[in-house]
Amino acid sequence: MNCEECGKRPATLHLTKIVNGEKTEYHICEHCAQEKGDVISGFHNFSIHNILSGLLNFDPMAKNSFSSSLNSQTTTHKPLRCETCGLTYAQFSKSGRFGCSDCYRYFGDLLDPLFRRIHGNNNHIGKVPERTGGQLKIRKELEQLKTQLKRYVETEEFEKAAEIRDRIRALEKKIDQA
Amino acid sequence: MSVQQFMQNPWSNWMKGEGPDADIVISTRIRIARNLRHHPFPLLATDSQAEEVVRHVASVGQTEEMRKAGPFELIMMDQLQPLEKRVLVEKHLISPNLAEESRKGGVLLSKDESISIMINEEDHIRIQVLLPGFQLKEAWETGSRIDDIFERYVNYAFDEKRGYLTSCPTNVGTGIRASVMLHLPALVMTQQINRILQAINQVGLVVRGMYGEGSEALGNLFQLSNQVTLGMSENDILSNLYSVAKQIIEQERVARRYLLENSPVALEDRICRSYGILLHARTVESKEAAQRLSDVRLGIDLGIIKNVSAFVTNELLVLTQPGFLQRHAGQKLSPEQRDERRARLIRERLAAQSV
């Protein structure tokens, strides 16, 4: 189909306009569309930004009907939700607020682009709760000790093995207490 | 100690007008966002879940360690009149969000008002430390100490990859927002401020007005804070903010010297004119009051006005806010009545000093 305006170029834009209940259809080419600016004024506001936020499926400023319709379209066929609090990813991308700490786990890597955009980064460095930090350290130490123990048992160095075994017990007790 | 004391006393530790670089840095604030592992965030919590969070946090406030760090008083938002909440906001002790939006919101306030622990704001726990002058390190150390105490009693929502988990993705990671309140009249007068503000946005920092997000920069007061919370250590966040603030402070000092050297009469005239107006005006709007007080404060810092202390201008900034004026009057006031009371209050305070 050729453009209704110039009749030369192929029509690439197909628009429906409803005025007072009367439906008019336009089939025009991009060139004429630009000249006839008023017909498709909405398109001029549709920037690369909208497209990006649509892809990311997250736009806290979403007031634009384009990006929100993109959001709902891309999420309907895959309703991702946090099993703990029930917040869906679509709800999250609308409100920009998580429902509980498990949302982070359920939405997982999907959040990477979002965090990269806000913080330029995905991974936490900095303060770690002593309890978590301490336990992590102990667990790593335990793993090392257990492989050591195995080695001593294999080489029949039982005295050293017993020593290691005592240290393992002490660490396990520490974890239980925490 | 009672709630009433927090209301009636306009004085707060941060207004002292003391501390390092106090001629430019009014106050330093650190806010640490934390959540409990097994409770839904305040946005989704039911009333009874939110109450449970309050009980949990309040009980930590009763422990021996916290008593030593405080002592703390628990104030629930639903115990307060709207005006009283407004007073706490004007003193910067709670956020507007806690005052207006929270359900079962509360705050644990330390006696000297330098530490406030907000409960059920956007996050379960928000530890705020507010100190006079430029004291980023001190504020963080105090906040981190309180954080450590809490950690002993509650199970924090923490993830090895993402760090401290928060309700809003903009706070995740360290959960800290550090900010300094800068008084920059000379940079505004010499019209350099816009250039500087633009540069700031490019290094991961944000500038806001005195009352935080969305508020206007009244009285040449600018709040500079970090934007990034994930992927940077607390130390890096603080030293980044520190060095940028330090540069702005230097620029402001240079601009002040420039004005003193190049247009001493115009500068002195502006300062003394504002001082005179505040000493004699019968009615003054809040915007004008903020601007005039800024001039007077600059005059104090430059030694042009000698018999007024910086503390008084800080105090007046808070005292002349609508909430405080009405609280002081004991009734609701129309804007005209407020302007009149504001003028009288400033007159009285300044006159008391200039004997």
Side-chain angles (χ1 to χ4, degrees):
Chain A
M1 187 191 300
N2 271 356
C3 173
E4 286 179 4
E5 282 295 312
C6 59
K8 291 175 200 154
R9 288 173 286 262
T12 50
L13 290 170
H14 311 281
L15 302 161
T16 312
K17 199 176 181 181
I18 301 172
V19 180
N20 295 332
E22 219 184 296
K23 206 164 118 183
T24 342
E25 282 187 20
Y26 290 95
H27 307 280
I28 51 178
C29 68
E30 228 169 81
H31 182 84
C32 296
Q34 255 168 31
E35 278 182 1
K36 230 180 133 66
D38 66 316
V39 180
I40 49 156
S41 55
F43 274 84
H44 290 297
N45 304 326
F46 192 71
S47 67
I48 184 80
H49 214 82
N50 299 103
I51 296 167
L52 271 179
S53 71
L55 287 176
L56 287 174
N57 209 1
F58 181 88
D59 184 9
M61 317 284 180
K63 282 184 188 107
N64 188 308
S65 59
F66 280 110
S67 57
S68 48
S69 72
L70 266 179
N71 278 348
S72 52
Q73 269 171 26
T74 41
T75 43
T76 39
H77 61 90
K78 196 190 168 198
L80 180 63
R81 74 166 61 226
C82 168
E83 298 299 333
T84 306
C85 70
L87 189 84
T88 65
Y89 191 79
Q91 285 171 318
F92 164 68
S93 51
K94 223 173 254 170
S95 71
R97 297 281 189 280
F98 293 107
C100 71
S101 52
D102 284 340
C103 293
Y104 282 88
R105 206 153 43 83
Y106 283 105
F107 301 155
D109 295 342
L110 259 180
L111 299 169
D112 279 356
L114 168 68
F115 288 137
R116 218 172 302 123
R117 212 168 61 163
I118 300 174
H119 301 286
N121 218 308
N122 280 318
N123 298 315
H124 174 61
I125 29 177
K127 193 171 176 175
V128 167
E130 237 170 80
R131 226 191 298 182
T132 317
Q135 286 223 7
L136 264 182
K137 234 164 92 189
I138 294 173
R139 270 199 216 107
K140 277 190 185 145
E141 209 179 323
L142 264 177
E143 270 170 42
Q144 281 173 355
L145 287 177
K146 279 179 183 163
T147 42
Q148 238 174 31
L149 178 68
K150 221 168 145 190
R151 219 178 301 137
Y152 283 137
V153 171
E154 279 164 6
T155 53
E156 299 187 3
E157 294 176 78
F158 295 117
E159 246 172 67
K160 280 180 182 167
E163 208 178 284
I164 300 276
R165 183 204 56 206
D166 289 345
R167 276 171 66 192
I168 290 177
R169 279 190 187 151
L171 286 181
E172 277 174 343
K173 214 170 157 189
K174 228 176 173 178
I175 283 190
D176 280 348
Q177 277 165 355
Chain B
M1 186 171 47
S2 75
V3 176
Q4 289 313 312
Q5 265 171 286
F6 291 120
M7 299 299 154
Q8 273 151 11
N9 181 12
W11 190 87
S12 223
N13 184 41
W14 68 266
M15 297 172 211
K16 271 185 184 163
E18 292 172 2
D21 298 303
D23 56 331
I24 291 165
V25 187
I26 308 285
S27 61
T28 302
R29 166 160 51 183
I30 298 275
R31 189 223 64 203
I32 306 171
R34 296 288 185 259
N35 285 284
L36 307 184
R37 171 78 187 83
H38 297 294
H39 289 74
F41 293 153
L43 177 80
L44 284 194
T46 61
D47 280 3
S48 69
Q49 285 167 325
E51 272 163 8
E52 210 175 297
V53 171
V54 174
R55 271 199 301 278
H56 218 49
V57 176
S59 74
V60 179
Q62 294 298 318
T63 59
E64 191 50 37
E65 295 112 299
M66 284 294 279
R67 240 195 298 264
K68 268 188 214 153
F72 290 88
E73 176 101 353
L74 176 69
I75 303 172
M76 293 303 297
M77 288 304 113
D78 52 19
Q79 297 168 352
L80 300 179
Q81 302 296 317
L83 259 179
E84 294 175 317
K85 287 193 247 181
R86 193 152 177 189
V87 164
L88 292 182
V89 172
E90 289 172 358
K91 287 173 89 173
H92 298 262
L93 302 181
I94 62 171
S95 66
N97 187 21
L98 185 79
E100 315 288 340
E101 312 284 339
S102 68
R103 266 183 314 124
K104 308 287 168 195
V107 62
L108 282 167
L109 257 185
S110 75
K111 204 176 172 188
D112 71 349
E113 305 183 1
S114 63
I115 308 170
S116 39
I117 299 154
M118 289 178 260
I119 312 168
N120 285 331
E121 214 249 22
E122 193 182 278
D123 296 298
H124 293 139
I125 303 173
R126 284 198 162 185
I127 303 166
Q128 171 187 285
V129 181
L130 187 54
L131 297 178
F134 196 21
Q135 303 196 63
L136 275 172
K137 196 167 157 255
E138 292 78 0
W140 163 243
E141 277 166 5
T142 304
S144 184
R145 210 167 52 235
I146 301 285
D147 180 39
D148 291 341
I149 297 175
F150 266 94
E151 197 213 303
R152 268 174 239 143
Y153 295 96
V154 304
N155 207 346
Y156 274 153
F158 181 86
D159 178 90
E160 270 174 56
K161 184 176 177 195
R162 309 288 193 198
Y164 291 95
L165 305 178
T166 54
S167 166
C168 181
T170 55
N171 295 317
V172 74
T174 58
I176 73 166
R177 188 84 64 219
S179 63
V180 285
M181 181 85 72
L182 304 168
H183 183 225
L184 306 172
L187 287 177
V188 174
M189 275 184 234
T190 54
Q191 295 175 348
Q192 295 179 74
I193 196 74
N194 286 335
R195 188 175 50 81
I196 289 171
L197 297 188
Q198 272 167 20
I200 285 167
N201 288 329
Q202 285 165 7
V203 292
L205 300 177
V206 220
V207 183
R208 302 191 171 108
M210 180 166 168
Y211 286 97
E213 223 164 312
S215 67
E216 219 180 325
L218 279 178
N220 302 320
L221 290 169
F222 297 87
Q223 190 179 299
L224 178 70
S225 58
N226 67 298
Q227 178 85 311
V228 170
T229 55
L230 183 66
M232 269 176 101
S233 70
E234 291 83 0
N235 219 349
D236 289 345
I237 290 170
L238 294 175
S239 57
N240 187 20
L241 180 65
Y242 178 89
S243 49
V244 173
K246 201 78 192 164
Q247 278 178 30
I248 297 174
I249 293 168
E250 273 324 303
Q251 296 274 319
E252 168 70 17
R253 290 220 173 95
V254 169
R256 287 181 186 188
R257 271 199 301 274
Y258 174 86
L259 287 172
L260 263 181
E261 279 162 21
N262 292 283
S263 43
V265 179
L267 182 67
E268 234 177 289
D269 180 69
R270 176 182 171 138
I271 288 167
C272 294
R273 202 173 274 272
S274 286
Y275 186 35
I277 286 172
L278 290 181
L279 271 176
H280 298 286
R282 262 36 187 180
T283 165
V284 62
E285 283 180 15
S286 62
K287 211 168 172 175
E288 185 186 357
Q291 182 55 50
R292 303 281 178 209
L293 282 168
S294 165
D295 288 342
V296 169
R297 175 69 202 262
L298 179 64
I300 296 168
D301 293 331
L302 293 177
I304 294 170
I305 296 174
K306 292 199 173 65
N307 43 15
V308 181
S309 74
F311 165 64
V312 170
T313 58
N314 285 347
E315 187 194 39
L316 279 174
L317 267 180
V318 172
L319 264 180
T320 55
Q321 298 290 325
F324 242 106
L325 283 175
Q326 296 178 82
R327 170 80 210 168
H328 193 244
Q331 63 186 78
K332 271 203 118 153
L333 300 171
S334 70
E336 293 76 25
Q337 288 172 314
R338 272 188 253 156
D339 293 348
E340 208 183 312
R341 280 205 165 246
R342 182 177 295 117
R344 196 197 316 161
L345 206 117
I346 295 175
R347 251 176 15 239
E348 285 169 1
R349 290 275 154 162
L350 291 179
Q353 292 246 320
S354 56
V355 183

